[in-house]
Amino acid sequence: MASIFSAPTRNLDIVTLHEILRLRQDVFVVEQACAYPDMDGRDLEPGTVQYWMGQGSVDATLRFLREPDGTERIGRVATAERARGQGLAGQLIEAAIADSRTASIALAAQAHLEHWYGRFGFVRSGDEFFEDGIRHVPMTRRR
């Protein structure tokens, strides 16, 4: 069984950071055919924490941000194709929720995953929107 790891981006070793960024690129840019700037500068913000799982490589990851208004935000949830169906992303979501220090966590879910995020207590909090050609819904989880 793979362990869950987390660390502020600035504290990651270069190999782990490379594996996280490569997985995000493989899933969002290549597989989903979205040419967008994944490296948006937010990974280096104070308070940003990377979560990941894997044995010998990064098989799943997510990014946990602290917004200026105090809200926490989950994003960049990705699982390698070879590791899907094992519940890794769900374990990362649960770990991030457990580490949360605020009353509210936000995320922008791809619309087809709205019910999946609902399993973790997230509810739709606004109108559907398109980002990089993919339908998304804003969702929030409150304590």
Side-chain angles (χ1 to χ4, degrees), residues 101-118:
R101 293 185 246 149
T102 64
S104 178
I105 304 172
L107 57 79
Q110 291 186 5
H112 71 280
L113 294 172
E114 180 177 358
H115 294 292
W116 185 80
Y117 283 107

Side-chain angles (χ1 to χ4, degrees), residues 86-126:
Q86 300 175 33
L88 302 182
Q91 291 176 57
L92 292 176
I93 294 284
E94 289 171 345
I97 290 169
D99 290 347
S100 172
R101 293 185 246 149
T102 64
S104 178
I105 304 172
L107 57 79
Q110 291 186 5
H112 71 280
L113 294 172
E114 180 177 358
H115 294 292
W116 185 80
Y117 283 107
R119 294 179 12 203
F120 304 99
F122 288 89
V123 296
R124 184 187 284 237
S125 56

Side-chain angles (χ1 to χ4, degrees), residues 20-93:
I20 288 170
L21 295 174
R22 185 178 74 182
L23 175 56
R24 288 175 11 187
Q25 173 185 276
D26 288 350
V27 172
F28 300 124
V29 177
V30 177
E31 184 181 325
Q32 294 182 356
C34 290
Y36 81 105
D38 177 57
M39 295 176 59
D40 59 2
R42 302 230 42 209
D43 293 299
L44 297 178
E45 291 177 0
T48 298
V49 176
Q50 304 293 333
Y51 287 76
W52 71 97
M53 294 181 76
Q55 296 179 21
S57 64
V58 173
D59 293 326
T61 187
L62 69 74
R63 177 171 79 176
F64 195 68
L65 302 169
R66 300 200 194 300
E67 300 287 9
D69 67 0
T71 301
E72 293 170 318
R73 176 171 293 280
I74 291 174
R76 303 294 203 265
V77 180
T79 303
E81 188 173 18
R82 68 184 175 280
R84 291 185 188 147
Q86 300 175 33
L88 302 182
Q91 291 176 57
L92 292 176
I93 294 284

